[in-house]
Amino acid sequence: MTKAEKKTQMDNTETENTHAFETDVSRLLDIVANALYSNKDVFLRELISNAADACDRLRYEAINNPALKEKDEAFGIHIAIDREGDKLMIRDNGIGMNKEDLIENLGTIARSGTAAILENLKSSGKPDDMSLIGQFGVGFYASFMVAKTVEVISRKAGDNKAWKWVSDGRTGFSITEASKDEAALLNGQSGTHITLNTKPDAYDYLIDDKVIQIVMIYSDHIDIPVYLDTKEKDADQPINAASALWTRPKSEITDEQYKEFYHHIGHVFDEPLLTTHWKAEGVIEYTGLTFIPSMRPWDLYDPQRQHSLKLYVKKVYISDKVDNLLYPWMRFVKGVVDTQDLPLNISREMLQNNPVVSKMRSGITKKILSELDKLSRDDEPAFETFWYQFGAVLKEGLYDAVEHRDDLFKVCRFRTTDKTGTLTSLADYIERMKDGQEEIYYISGDNADSLKKSPQLEGFTARGLEVLLLTDTVDEFWLQMVTDYKDKKFRSVTKGQVDLNKFDDIKDDPAQSDEDKAEKQKTSASVELLRQHLEKILKDDVNYIRISKRLTESPVCLIAEDGSVDMHMEKVLKIQQNYDPTTKRVLEINKDHALIKKLAQMREENEENPVINEAAHLLYDQAMIIQGETIPDPAGFAKRMADFMTKGLST
Ligand code: ADP
Ligand code: MG
């Protein structure tokens, strides 16, 4: 439904001034009212956070349109308490909201993140699973934890009408034009005035010390001053530090303060996994304060998702939509960057191709990658959490940004066939390479456990050669662009020829008799004849058949030819792009397998034996199935299988 359709629907069913909440909002409010947080204090954090955002937005808009800031009064957030009337009031002189904004922002779940929480709650089937929702925060609606009713008076900068939004937080809300007295609460400026009519059990929040304490804990880092007014007059000293956190020296900031700041700017409520606060000095100067979340955001793979690093210029918030400020493969990073080296009144369009912005991006990327590298050495469990959450996204950088590739490889981790089962870096893999090994072996597929059982790995495993198990779709893509690491070529074990014999130090066994040797030669000659025979039978299915150097246990496997599309890549392409492969695969047969030997013998006795024909098709189908492919003629396969089983059982 579009916004306009939604609106007409509301207007049809409701009177002009009253609106029912959307189902999702009602549900959310229900959850909120039923003690969402064990800690109700956070409602104030949410309201202050919104007020500060509103001030930031007006400050930015007013750079190019100074008339929007009507009075020459500093930005501020004022809290007032009416103990007798059971009211708590919060006022800001920020951007304000018009009628549509009020409906859209406070009457629907505008934030897609909140909608996602609800989805999660629905699908978890546990509507009381508050631990989950507690990690997200519900913004404005948190006020209904402590308020029976909430009244919002707001006037948008540049408008002359003020509006009043009232709700009991259950059924819906009403919107009317604010009276003169009500509008006067805004103190002759644009902005928002919120009144909470508190519940009887929320009496605590009408006590000065309690409010001061909450502001100190949650809102100390906010750049806008927060005041606690008395009935008689506005306070003249703010109760928070009112200086942007990133401008303070690191030594004066506690972990708790960093965390609260992360919650405020990130609109998320998990613990930051990695906090990086630095000042870059050089050609371009800027301060960065970035966070890597410990939880993956729900829309990490949504193609619409953009990064949300906020750009400030000389402490003035500019935008969180400057594409070039951060690579898409770092889109999980939250934080702020503040620079002196851009003009304040730069337009958003001009920011997109700005060289200063690109240089900052490069610096930010380097810094974060080096901090991650450090984390991998200092705190392995934390690093692993990071890698499982965001590794696949970060790997997009391997093909996207050549200049950061080396640093990226330092933090990339891979599963391998190594027995320990831990993740490995490429540097460590190279350390463990066998004498004579010049390539980095890998196999790619959907799932590490089934990959480990691939027949193509047999010869490698038998010789103690370690193979990387690549299971992210993105792996296929960077491997198209990146051919080597530290002069070692990446080499797929499901593609082309491999020479594994050089790893065998089997010398000619002097004890071996001449008869044995003759016998061996005879077998290989007969397997070669079988190979040619099978090739004729399967000429429509495979390009050619080859005696395998990589199989030790299975009778057959499929291989992609050198220069053609690799096995798993082909599967990915088929799914994503309707790809129709042009080259057929190579079938490898294991000359030492009993089944192959037996077939070779049968062919020698009677070249026309129809069993060989059936067996050829079965072997091919089997190789396809192991590869996770659908076989061309399942009914034919089943019939042949049944015939062979019957024969097997009746002897
Ligand atoms: P969030 O802050 O994460 O967007 P909230 O539920 O806290 O979610 O607020 C919803 C929206 O309502 C905000 O995005 C903002 O557009 C609007 N809003 C809330 N409080 C104010 C305010 N004091 N001034 C202006 N707009 C506000
Ligand atoms: Mg908010």
Side-chain angles (χ1 to χ4, degrees), residues 175-374:
I175 293 193
T176 46
E177 204 177 322
S179 70
K180 226 172 161 193
D181 284 351
E182 286 162 347
L185 291 171
L186 297 170
N187 240 1
Q189 301 176 76
S190 70
T192 303
H193 181 281
I194 299 178
T195 306
L196 308 182
N197 294 300
T198 52
K199 293 179 180 174
D201 65 357
Y203 185 77
D204 270 11
Y205 301 108
L206 301 177
I207 298 169
D208 288 6
D209 284 348
K210 177 75 181 172
V211 169
I212 293 171
Q213 184 206 356
I214 301 176
V215 172
M216 300 267 282
I217 295 176
Y218 294 109
S219 309
D220 199 46
H221 55 76
I222 281 174
D223 198 16
I224 314 282
V226 179
Y227 302 93
L228 182 58
D229 296 344
T230 59
K231 230 185 202 138
E232 291 72 40
K233 70 178 196 49
D234 284 4
D236 40 36
Q237 285 301 318
I239 48 179
N240 63 339
S243 73
L245 189 77
W246 64 89
T247 60
R248 301 187 215 165
K250 261 165 107 161
S251 56
E252 289 171 21
I253 307 173
T254 64
D255 288 353
E256 202 52 35
Q257 284 172 320
Y258 276 127
K259 189 174 102 184
E260 281 312 324
F261 182 71
Y262 164 65
H263 291 171
H264 165 66
I265 52 138
H267 296 256
V268 285
F269 296 92
D270 58 336
E271 292 272 331
L273 190 80
L274 181 66
T275 302
T276 310
H277 185 188
W278 79 106
K279 211 175 158 124
E281 274 154 359
V283 193
I284 289 168
E285 295 189 3
Y286 60 89
T287 301
L289 174 51
T290 60
F291 303 90
I292 292 181
S294 53
M295 275 175 33
R296 188 189 301 188
W298 63 282
D299 61 345
L300 190 60
Y301 290 101
D302 184 341
Q304 305 295 316
R305 187 189 158 90
Q306 289 168 328
H307 78 76
S308 55
L309 192 63
K310 293 183 183 218
L311 176 67
Y312 283 72
V313 172
K314 305 177 187 84
K315 287 185 11 184
V316 175
Y317 171 65
I318 303 294
S319 172
D320 60 0
K321 295 188 178 55
V322 183
D323 283 350
N324 275 347
L325 191 58
L326 200 66
Y327 284 106
W329 41 272
M330 285 227 173
R331 57 189 178 272
F332 48 85
V333 172
K334 308 258 178 193
V336 305
V337 178
D338 191 347
T339 183
Q340 310 266 344
D341 293 324
L342 285 168
L344 256 179
N345 57 357
I346 189 163
S347 71
R348 289 204 176 95
E349 295 70 45
M350 279 176 63
L351 278 169
Q352 297 305 348
N353 298 312
N354 190 289
V356 174
V357 174
S358 311
K359 289 210 176 90
M360 285 199 290
R361 176 176 71 178
S362 179
I364 295 162
T365 307
K366 280 209 186 91
K367 180 69 184 180
I368 294 175
L369 288 177
S370 89
E371 289 296 305
L372 282 170
D373 180 39
K374 199 158 154 275

Side-chain angles (χ1 to χ4, degrees), residues 46 49-50 53 111 139-140 267:
E46 295 298 329
S49 170
N50 286 347
D53 285 349
R111 290 185 311 155
F140 172 79
H267 296 256

Side-chain angles (χ1 to χ4, degrees), residues 50-51 54 57 92 95-97 105-106 111 138-140 192 267:
N50 286 347
R57 282 172 56 201
D92 67 67
I95 188 99
M97 288 176 275
N105 297 334
L106 308 186
R111 290 185 311 155
V138 288
F140 172 79
T192 303
H267 296 256

Side-chain angles (χ1 to χ4, degrees), residues 40-55 77-79 88-92 97 106 138-147 150-152 165 192-197 214 218-219 222 226 264 269:
K40 293 188 175 173
D41 295 359
V42 297
F43 84 92
L44 196 56
R45 162 187 81 190
E46 295 298 329
L47 295 181
I48 292 176
S49 170
N50 286 347
D53 285 349
C55 293
I77 300 166
H78 291 261
I79 302 176
L88 182 68
M89 287 150 292
I90 296 158
R91 160 169 66 89
D92 67 67
M97 288 176 275
L106 308 186
V138 288
F140 172 79
Y141 300 121
S143 23
F144 290 103
M145 290 192 293
V146 299
V150 175
E151 268 177 54
V152 179
W165 179 102
T192 303
H193 181 281
I194 299 178
T195 306
L196 308 182
N197 294 300
I214 301 176
Y218 294 109
S219 309
I222 281 174
V226 179
H264 165 66
F269 296 92

